[in-house]
Amino acid sequence: MNQTLAIIKPDATGNGDAGRIIAHIEAAGFVIRALRMVTLTEAQARAFYDVHRERPFYQSLVAFMTSGPCIPMVLEAESAIRRYRDAIGATDPAEAAPGTVRQLYAESKERNAVHGSDSAENARREIAFFFSESERIG
Ligand code: ATP
Ligand code: MG
């Protein structure tokens, strides 16, 4: 078993899709170990996506991620990081496989409904970014 950090992004919470996305994630076999709703500050969004600070889309991404509430979640499953990336599909919903979360719920490459950690090291960092140790004991 391992854990990954998922986020339902502000486009999806604003569209009223959060419940359907959570149901989709549970039906795909992930156990939710922690969950909260938070509206990121600019500093928090900049820090979370610091790896992309040199990219042309960084300012726009930060504006999007602070535009409304996010729902970060700790998900647990066998090979959770890879399996969750498979379940959400490609970054651009136009390229996401049928039945993936992004194909079903995302609007564009930026407003793409969900986040998923891309490595074990980043999953650890991102889980700790949103949840204290006591919130993760289960
Ligand atoms: P995430 O890290 O959110 O799970 P990802 O790993 O599929 O997504 P990254 O390359 O890490 O994709 O990009 C982080 C986020 O930045 C994307 O999810 C998307 O919201 C935004 N993004 C990425 N590329 C672009 C782009 N070319 N134009 C606009 N926004 C982009
Ligand atoms: Mg990424």
Side-chain angles (χ1 to χ4, degrees), residues 65-125:
M65 290 299 290
T66 57
S67 67
C70 286
I71 303 177
M73 297 177 277
V74 178
L75 304 181
E76 191 169 273
E78 195 93 27
S79 306
I81 295 165
R82 181 185 53 75
R83 282 193 44 227
Y84 180 68
R85 298 277 296 186
D86 290 347
I88 64 178
T91 308
D92 185 343
E95 293 164 13
T100 58
V101 174
R102 283 168 169 164
Q103 186 266 322
L104 291 168
Y105 299 106
E107 297 167 24
S108 67
K109 190 166 188 178
E110 177 174 270
R111 298 171 64 84
N112 62 357
V114 286
H115 163 82
S117 306
D118 62 6
S119 67
E121 185 188 342
N122 283 336
R124 273 191 297 277
R125 178 182 80 83

Side-chain angles (χ1 to χ4, degrees), residues 51-74:
V51 64
H52 294 311
R53 66 183 176 278
E54 307 294 345
R55 302 284 204 91
F57 59 80
Y58 181 64
Q59 275 310 331
S60 176
L61 175 61
V62 168
F64 163 52
M65 290 299 290
T66 57
S67 67
C70 286
I71 303 177
M73 297 177 277
V74 178

